[in-house]
Amino acid sequence: MMSGEVRDYQVSAWLMAVCIQGMTLDETVSLTRAFVDSGTVLDWSDIDGVVVDKHSTGGVGDKTTLVLAPLLAAADLKVAKLSGRGLGFTGGTIDKLEAIPGFRTQLSNEAFRQQLQSVGVVVCSQTADLAPADGKMYALRDVTATVDNIPLIAASVVSKKIASGAQVIVLDIKAGCGAFMKTEAEARALADCCRAIGRALGRQVETVISSMESPLGLAVGHTLEVAEAVRTLQGEGPADLEALCLRLGAVALTEAGGAADLKAAEARLKTLLNNGQAFEKFVAMAAAQGGDVSVLRNPDLLQKAPQQISVPSPEAGYVHGIDALKVAEAAKVLGAGRPNKETPIDLTVGVVLNKTLGDVVLEGEPLATLHVRDKGLDAAQRAILEAFSLSSNPLTEQAPLILTF
Amino acid sequence: MMSGEVRDYQVSAWLMAVCIQGMTLDETVSLTRAFVDSGTVLDWSDIDGVVVDKHSTGGVGDKTTLVLAPLLAAADLKVAKLSGRGLGFTGGTIDKLEAIPGFRTQLSNEAFRQQLQSVGVVVCSQTADLAPADGKMYALRDVTATVDNIPLIAASVVSKKIASGAQVIVLDIKAGCGAFMKTEAEARALADCCRAIGRALGRQVETVISSMESPLGLAVGHTLEVAEAVRTLQGEGPADLEALCLRLGAVALTEAGGAADLKAAEARLKTLLNNGQAFEKFVAMAAAQGGDVSVLRNPDLLQKAPQQISVPSPEAGYVHGIDALKVAEAAKVLGAGRPNKETPIDLTVGVVLNKTLGDVVLEGEPLATLHVRDKGLDAAQRAILEAFSLSSNPLTEQAPLILTF
């Protein structure tokens, strides 16, 4: 495919056959290996310590990388994370990091390696030569209705991670209306497939399946999410975001041999949030990559959208649901989304939820605060009102955030 | 697709989906209509008489068009036949006609129309603007393993015939080892699909399913087949070839209202072979298209390959089978096949069977005569020996040539 010997129209016919008839695990492993072999495979064997990596299949308000990467580095793991920009409704981690003035998201291989050794954590843009065949095939899948297939998704995700060179790989697989996998069963099938590929190719691939029905945390929008990540790294983040970061971190730490079991690992990581070490690691990473750390020490200094406008509740009730896709839609119409690769995004706009699942809301109380520049206000307000499901009865049973791991 | 709005890689993904999941009749009819509408549709409404056309799905030694076209014209039908060149093991009708010195296979629309009116029969190359979308899609099918699908084949075949403008269309659908459809069941499914498309699009499409286990007639190779067609048009052809031509012709003649039933039609057509009128129509067509008719009146004048070499039987026995594909292979290695569009073919080389199904063969008696120029002799001899199945028992029951109609 990369040599042009197999033509696009042949690849797309094969993709459709795979989408309809599936692939065996052997075939999926072969495809993954071919993706990996199509480009550079990074080698961290000269780095002291266990190199870990994480990947999320993407969700609304998902700023876990910003928390997890420094948190694991504070626990003496080496975190080498190559990340992407966002497309569609969710911003990518790289976009979010650019909300920190001066933060360099493109590093030379040598700078990456030095920072990984000295600071213990690097998050930067993935270069084009990691699994380039995957990128080429994804472009074809996108235009031939062949995106939605578990073995193809698994091969794509795992190949990029294997090419990135980490020994321990933790995948956060989202399930729900705001995720690519709509059901827990699909998410589980993807998780199983990814772990099986990892086993076949000699890498420790671990998976956590987490809910993406409502946004993760309260903030959706690039700068707003950085501020929320900072609070979480200081032990003051939203409960759901902290819980997910602790669980993903505990899986990685246990796998890497840094804790006896998940419980011990979570306890150690929680301490690192509370004692400021995780936050200081984030500051050290930002400093190493040229970022202005004053905005991390005082998030009030982060750039702000010109207007903050509340969306009052038209009625009283208990919050039974907050539709992640609707909240994402609100952030997108305000300018936080990227309809195509070329469009610049507004890093300051977005949504901060004032109410979360189970909360009681009085009539006229704000459901959310919109951070607005010059567009999308009406549509965003409508989307927020549609996102919230209120009931006159208290929410007695809340669906779990972490579905399985 | 023709405008480039739908890209090749999208068409090929769709083709694979169709190959795996099938198409409904409505979808198949829509595709056929789209093929027809992508180019010119010929209109013969100003021609006196019923315009008929035939098409064969292709087999080894299949020279039925050379016999059937003049035969039906002799029965007062108008035969407008646009034909193709061969690819792979079988030569096309156009290649065979070029064995007649001077025969023009490319005619202007006006010359075609005049000859159809005055002589009653034209066989020439199909121009590119009939159902061009079919040609474009076929090229993609050829390189994406999506050729083998009955609705796609049916849409391709019927669209070309509808664009060719005939009122009555007879399809000879071959089943067997030497045909594209290997089983009678597949051939029947294709026949049913073609007739249903014709019905939906308001054309009389009739089908005959005929066996293609052994070659049709005795001659395989362009000039050799012309000579056999001439003998058949004079009432002296091999029994199987004559029987198939009479049956295909009878179906067309009955459909066109030229006979009360198949039996009456076959009798009338048989008379036209025996009294020389069918042959004279062939001569008239060849003359109108610039061909040297002396080679038709005396086929000994046709060009010959330099050597005629017998393949003696290594043993005695009764002929129970002659594998059509093996005989085709023999003709191909001698130079009669066209491995790709650009390769010139040798019109004189090929195979003439000396024995046919049920014949008794003595040890050392010739099974076939190879017409050889400068290559392929050894391989052709081996292929002929492999083609023949001999048994010590007489052949008591011969499989029927015409399977269903």
Side-chain angles (χ1 to χ4, degrees):
Chain A
M1 183 181 177
M2 295 307 286
S3 68
E5 204 179 317
V6 180
R7 310 292 289 266
D8 282 358
Y9 48 75
Q10 294 173 314
V11 174
S12 64
W14 176 84
L15 285 168
M16 184 58 81
V18 168
C19 280
I20 298 173
Q21 303 206 305
M23 268 199 294
T24 65
L25 179 59
D26 276 356
E27 291 167 337
T28 310
V29 168
S30 296
L31 178 66
T32 309
R33 191 183 282 121
F35 283 164
V36 171
D37 291 346
S38 70
T40 304
V41 180
L42 299 176
D43 178 1
W44 308 120
S45 56
D46 60 336
I47 299 288
D48 301 324
V50 180
V51 177
V52 302
D53 195 356
K54 69 81 71 166
H55 179 78
S56 159
T57 58
V60 180
D62 184 5
K63 68 284 287 178
T64 51
T65 294
L66 301 184
V67 178
L68 192 61
L71 175 58
L72 286 173
D76 301 325
L77 301 185
K78 293 292 198 281
V79 183
K81 167 73 176 149
L82 294 162
S83 206
R85 293 188 186 275
L87 247 188
F89 60 77
T90 58
T93 296
I94 293 303
D95 298 314
K96 292 169 192 173
L97 285 169
E98 287 181 349
I100 303 168
F103 195 102
R104 283 192 303 271
T105 57
Q106 302 220 323
L107 298 183
S108 70
N109 284 351
E110 202 35 48
F112 191 110
R113 190 175 296 272
Q114 281 179 9
Q115 182 179 330
L116 183 59
Q117 182 66 56
S118 59
V119 183
V121 54
V122 192
V123 182
C124 75
S125 282
Q126 66 203 8
T127 54
D129 64 347
L130 293 183
D134 167 58
K136 205 172 165 194
M137 191 176 280
Y138 188 86
L140 265 182
R141 286 167 59 200
D142 199 32
V143 292
T144 54
T146 56
V147 168
D148 192 3
N149 175 267
I150 284 171
L152 290 176
I153 296 168
S156 175
V157 166
V158 177
S159 65
K160 276 264 189 287
K161 294 289 111 181
I162 287 180
S164 299
Q167 289 145 265
V168 173
I169 297 160
V170 178
L171 304 179
D172 178 13
I173 297 184
K174 307 282 193 190
C177 78
F180 191 68
M181 303 281 117
K182 299 300 174 196
T183 68
E184 191 181 334
E186 287 175 285
R188 192 184 307 272
L190 177 58
D192 290 348
C193 190
C194 289
R195 285 200 311 278
I197 297 172
R199 206 177 306 122
L201 294 178
R203 296 290 177 95
Q204 285 170 265
V205 175
E206 293 300 319
T207 57
V208 171
I209 297 175
S210 64
S211 172
M212 185 32 69
E213 296 294 348
S214 51
L216 187 64
L218 301 169
V220 179
H222 301 79
T223 305
L224 302 169
E225 293 189 40
V226 169
E228 186 167 84
V230 166
R231 283 195 300 282
T232 307
L233 281 162
Q234 295 168 331
E236 292 163 4
D240 60 345
L241 176 60
E242 179 180 292
L244 181 59
C245 290
L246 290 176
R247 176 56 57 91
L248 289 166
V251 168
L253 191 57
T254 312
E255 278 301 308
D261 56 27
L262 286 179
K263 202 175 154 199
E266 287 203 19
R268 182 171 167 205
L269 295 171
K270 176 67 179 151
T271 302
L272 294 169
L273 292 180
N274 290 340
N275 68 12
Q277 290 186 31
F279 173 65
E280 290 304 327
K281 199 52 98 173
F282 189 40
V283 171
M285 175 181 84
Q289 293 184 237
D292 174 3
V293 298
S294 69
V295 302
L296 301 180
R297 299 208 179 274
N298 180 6
D300 286 345
L301 298 177
L302 282 164
Q303 267 209 302
K304 275 193 181 57
Q307 303 180 70
Q308 281 70 42
I309 296 169
S310 293
V311 182
S313 179
E315 54 178 344
Y318 295 91
V319 179
H320 277 228
I322 307 172
D323 184 301
L325 265 193
K326 296 277 183 196
V327 177
E329 177 65 22
K332 185 180 161 189
V333 295
L334 294 171
R338 179 184 273 124
N340 58 58
K341 275 187 192 170
E342 287 68 38
T343 312
I345 49 178
D346 187 333
L347 294 173
T348 64
V349 300
V351 177
V352 176
L353 302 175
N354 297 110
K355 296 292 179 181
T356 187
L357 288 177
D359 283 358
V360 65
V361 185
L362 305 179
E363 187 185 324
E365 258 198 306
L367 294 169
T369 304
L370 304 178
H371 292 244
V372 184
R373 184 175 302 279
D374 53 9
K375 65 177 176 184
L377 178 59
D378 288 355
Q381 283 173 319
R382 275 198 304 278
I384 292 299
L385 292 176
E386 287 170 17
F388 274 82
S389 305
L390 299 184
S391 162
S392 52
N393 301 315
L395 184 65
T396 49
E397 205 176 338
Q398 194 168 329
L401 169 68
I402 293 167
L403 302 169
T404 188
F405 65 94
Chain B
M1 182 179 180
M2 295 307 286
S3 69
E5 203 179 316
V6 179
R7 309 292 289 266
D8 281 357
Y9 47 76
Q10 295 173 314
V11 174
S12 64
W14 175 84
L15 285 168
M16 185 58 81
V18 168
C19 280
I20 298 173
Q21 304 205 306
M23 270 199 293
T24 66
L25 179 60
D26 276 356
E27 291 166 337
T28 309
V29 168
S30 296
L31 179 65
T32 308
R33 192 184 281 121
F35 283 164
V36 172
D37 291 346
S38 70
T40 305
V41 180
L42 299 176
D43 179 0
W44 306 121
S45 56
D46 60 337
I47 299 288
D48 301 322
V50 180
V51 177
V52 302
D53 195 357
K54 71 78 75 163
H55 179 78
S56 159
T57 59
V60 181
D62 184 4
K63 67 284 286 178
T64 50
T65 294
L66 301 185
V67 177
L68 192 60
L71 175 58
L72 286 174
D76 301 324
L77 301 185
K78 293 291 197 284
V79 184
K81 168 73 177 150
L82 294 161
S83 205
R85 291 187 188 276
L87 246 187
F89 61 76
T90 57
T93 297
I94 293 303
D95 298 313
K96 292 171 192 173
L97 284 170
E98 287 180 351
I100 303 169
F103 195 102
R104 282 191 304 272
T105 57
Q106 302 219 323
L107 297 184
S108 71
N109 284 350
E110 202 36 49
F112 191 110
R113 190 174 296 272
Q114 280 177 9
Q115 182 178 332
L116 182 59
Q117 182 66 59
S118 59
V119 183
V121 53
V122 192
V123 182
C124 75
S125 282
Q126 67 203 6
T127 53
D129 65 346
L130 292 183
D134 168 57
K136 205 171 163 192
M137 190 175 277
Y138 188 86
L140 266 181
R141 286 168 60 203
D142 198 32
V143 292
T144 55
T146 56
V147 168
D148 192 2
N149 176 267
I150 283 172
L152 290 176
I153 297 168
S156 175
V157 166
V158 177
S159 65
K160 277 264 190 285
K161 293 289 113 180
I162 286 180
S164 299
Q167 289 146 265
V168 173
I169 297 160
V170 178
L171 304 179
D172 178 13
I173 298 185
K174 306 282 192 190
C177 77
F180 192 69
M181 303 281 118
K182 298 301 175 195
T183 68
E184 190 180 335
E186 286 175 285
R188 191 184 307 272
L190 177 59
D192 290 347
C193 190
C194 289
R195 285 200 311 276
I197 297 171
R199 205 176 305 123
L201 294 178
R203 297 288 178 97
Q204 283 170 265
V205 175
E206 294 299 320
T207 56
V208 171
I209 298 176
S210 64
S211 172
M212 185 33 68
E213 297 295 348
S214 51
L216 187 64
L218 301 170
V220 179
H222 300 78
T223 303
L224 302 170
E225 293 189 39
V226 169
E228 186 168 84
V230 165
R231 282 195 300 281
T232 307
L233 281 161
Q234 294 168 330
E236 291 162 7
D240 60 345
L241 176 60
E242 179 181 290
L244 181 59
C245 291
L246 289 177
R247 176 56 58 91
L248 288 166
V251 169
L253 190 58
T254 311
E255 278 302 310
D261 57 27
L262 287 179
K263 202 174 155 200
E266 286 202 21
R268 182 172 166 205
L269 294 171
K270 177 65 180 150
T271 302
L272 294 169
L273 293 180
N274 290 341
N275 68 14
Q277 290 187 29
F279 173 66
E280 289 304 327
K281 199 53 100 170
F282 189 39
V283 171
M285 175 181 84
Q289 293 183 237
D292 174 4
V293 299
S294 67
V295 302
L296 301 180
R297 298 209 179 274
N298 181 5
D300 286 344
L301 298 177
L302 282 163
Q303 265 209 303
K304 275 194 181 55
Q307 302 179 71
Q308 280 71 42
I309 297 169
S310 292
V311 182
S313 180
E315 53 178 345
Y318 296 91
V319 179
H320 276 227
I322 307 172
D323 185 301
L325 266 192
K326 297 277 184 196
V327 176
E329 177 65 22
K332 186 178 161 189
V333 296
L334 293 172
R338 179 185 271 123
N340 58 59
K341 275 187 193 171
E342 287 69 38
T343 313
I345 50 180
D346 188 333
L347 294 173
T348 63
V349 300
V351 177
V352 176
L353 302 175
N354 297 111
K355 297 290 178 180
T356 188
L357 288 176
D359 282 358
V360 66
V361 184
L362 305 180
E363 188 185 323
E365 258 198 306
L367 294 169
T369 304
L370 303 179
H371 291 243
V372 186
R373 183 175 303 279
D374 52 9
K375 64 177 177 186
L377 177 60
D378 288 355
Q381 283 173 320
R382 274 197 305 278
I384 291 298
L385 292 176
E386 286 170 18
F388 273 81
S389 305
L390 299 185
S391 163
S392 53
N393 302 313
L395 183 66
T396 50
E397 206 175 338
Q398 194 166 330
L401 169 69
I402 294 166
L403 301 170
T404 187
F405 65 92

